[in-house]
Amino acid sequence: MNNLRHLISPLDLSLKEIDKILSLAATIKENPKSYSKKCEGLKLATLFYEPSTRTRLSFETAMLNLGGSIIGFSDAANSSVSKGETVSDTMRIINCFADICAIRHNKEGAALVAASKATIPVINAGDGGHQHPTQTLTDLNTIRSLKGRLSGLKIGFCGDLKFGRTVHSLIHALVRYPDNEFVLISPDELRVPAYIRDDVLIHSGVKFTEVQRLEDSLSDLDILYMTRVQKERFFNEEEYIRLKDRYILDKEKMKLAGPEMLILHPLPRVNEIATEVDDDPRAVYFKQVEYGVYARMALILFLLGKEDTSC
Amino acid sequence: MLNVSGLKDGIVLDHIQAGMSTKIFNYLGLEKLDCQVAMIRNARSSKMGRKDIIKIEGGLDMVDLDVLGYLDHNITINIIKDEKIVEKRCLKLPKRLTNVLKCKNPRCITTDDKGLPHIFFLANEETQTYRCLYCEETASK
Ligand SMILES: [Zn+2]
């Protein structure tokens, strides 16, 4: 391959490339059949050192929808490939087996290390609390498809903004579009880390506010991005228990929101969105899963250099 | 005028912040050198009040300029030939530092794979912030 590309951070893609991928995702959604043989004879390796069934199934569905096949492992504990073997070495082996790979690891930077040894495109499917660029593509695809634009939006992020990597990645991506505004809703302990606040938000000059109450912000948001407080990111159980139920979006609170506000959530949800909200037409977090598959299909085609080939 | 007597050919690290010379000595690994190394502490300086100076016999290849630039880019390097200053060099903040700093983030991949080089990049020139290439954790000086 002459132009080997990876997706490690959402910033690896230019705005033009994101637009290309999301346009392709929309075309695929319109006409999935004409893409069902694009990856015939090609293999996607899913290297999941940390289990994440939903993300893995989304990748695998994407590749199967394109007519390709899949290999890989779904949990480091049960895989011989990871017994003391470094990510670098595993990657060197996978180079010989697959045409493209998606890697998920609990350590930050693992995908970058894999990419440094790869001769095939590497997709970061989540590296610890760090980046999760295909979730970002999923989120962007959902917003673009349902709002028709990625600019001029007021987006609220609520919950764990400290460890919530999907939030960090999406903020990174959205500050690049004009006239977006952010409302960051979190308890003091879970505010966005300094590198997002200083180097991304302040640096880019976007408008943003940090608040603690969800109720006060709902009325003029275009998007509300809810997150769960993740137990595995805490070293201290007590702190987790104290913070996990801080924000619960229910029918009552949804009355405060505008009729066009969309609720997104990277899933799985625990209890931060009451199930009574699921039937609200503004709740699009299950649609998001579908948009995620189209986004991943488009990404796989893009990274394999197959996005322009006619069917 | 900087006194370079006693050094025929070598380099003089001037305008080191007073009290910092020991740290710089250690970071540069000067204890491993066979040649003459002199440390002057609390020298009088019209610009800084007090400053430290390190004189090293030998060429510019004796010190890692990236490390020095990271530690204090206000240090001036004087290159001495035949007991005279023939060149003055200013330091720049290096764009990248390899195996100078260690990432302290317990969630970083470098804690799993001990063979990986610890690489930091200059993330913000104004605030002189360096971040781990892998996990983006801020380096602490
Ligand atoms: Zn690190």
Side-chain angles (χ1 to χ4, degrees), chain B residues 103 108 132 135:
Chain B
C103 184
C108 181
C132 172
C135 70

Side-chain angles (χ1 to χ4, degrees), chain A residues 173-310:
Chain A
L174 283 170
V175 295
R176 301 202 284 172
Y177 295 89
D179 305 322
N180 285 329
E181 187 182 337
F182 301 92
V183 183
L184 309 171
I185 309 150
S186 73
D188 204 36
E189 297 87 338
L190 296 175
R191 286 169 63 190
V192 289
Y195 75 90
I196 295 293
R197 186 170 37 250
D198 299 345
D199 297 357
V200 182
L201 290 163
I202 294 175
H203 186 75
S204 66
V206 294
K207 248 173 124 178
F208 74 96
T209 46
E210 292 188 88
V211 298
Q212 297 214 1
R213 271 170 57 87
L214 173 60
E215 293 85 339
D216 302 344
S217 323
L218 281 169
S219 66
D220 60 346
L221 291 179
D222 296 303
I223 309 278
L224 173 63
Y225 196 96
M226 292 292 296
T227 63
R228 74 181 190 284
V229 176
Q230 283 173 280
K231 191 176 179 178
E232 60 267 33
R233 304 288 172 224
F234 285 84
F235 288 120
N236 173 340
E237 174 109 17
E238 270 166 51
E239 185 154 272
Y240 166 70
I241 290 167
R242 193 164 54 80
L243 295 170
K244 73 181 169 69
D245 294 332
R246 182 68 181 270
Y247 301 104
I248 294 173
L249 185 65
D250 54 18
K251 258 190 168 158
E252 207 50 41
K253 289 200 189 79
M254 281 307 290
K255 287 180 186 160
L256 301 168
E260 305 289 329
M261 186 192 82
L262 301 180
I263 312 162
L264 275 71
H265 189 299
L267 301 181
R269 152 203 36 201
V270 185
N271 59 351
E272 57 281 350
I273 303 178
T275 50
E276 62 185 23
V277 178
D278 296 353
D279 295 329
D280 191 308
R282 294 169 289 184
V284 298
Y285 31 90
F286 290 115
K287 273 191 196 159
Q288 216 174 328
V289 177
E290 192 192 337
Y291 286 112
V293 174
Y294 295 125
R296 289 184 176 94
M297 288 171 76
L299 176 68
I300 290 170
L301 290 174
F302 173 81
L303 292 175
L304 288 172
K306 289 179 161 295
E307 79 276 21
D308 290 325
T309 51
S310 56

Side-chain angles (χ1 to χ4, degrees), chain A residues 86-88 105-110 112-113 130-131 195 199 235, chain B residues 105-109 111-113 116 123-124 131 133-136:
Chain A
T86 61
V87 169
S88 304
H105 200 287
N106 62 335
K107 287 290 162 77
E108 301 173 11
L112 184 73
V113 171
H130 188 218
Q131 299 285 6
Y195 75 90
D199 297 357
F235 288 120
Chain B
N105 176 4
R107 293 177 294 267
C108 181
I109 185 69
T111 61
D112 260 27
D113 185 345
L116 286 171
N124 187 327
R131 291 190 193 292
L133 179 70
Y134 308 102
C135 70
E136 295 181 74

Side-chain angles (χ1 to χ4, degrees), chain A residues 111-181:
Chain A
L112 184 73
V113 171
S116 72
K117 299 289 182 266
T119 57
I120 59 173
V122 173
I123 303 170
N124 183 3
D127 59 338
H130 188 218
Q131 299 285 6
H132 194 0
T134 61
Q135 181 65 49
T136 309
L137 275 182
T138 299
D139 299 337
L140 293 176
N141 194 30
T142 308
I143 297 170
R144 186 180 183 268
S145 301
L146 297 174
K147 283 280 179 201
R149 65 185 198 276
L150 291 169
S151 55
L153 295 166
K154 188 164 182 179
I155 306 120
F157 289 94
C158 177
D160 175 6
L161 310 188
K162 183 179 182 188
F163 299 109
R165 62 180 158 199
T166 58
V167 170
H168 304 164
S169 291
L170 188 54
I171 289 175
H172 249 304
L174 283 170
V175 295
R176 301 202 284 172
Y177 295 89
D179 305 322
N180 285 329
E181 187 182 337

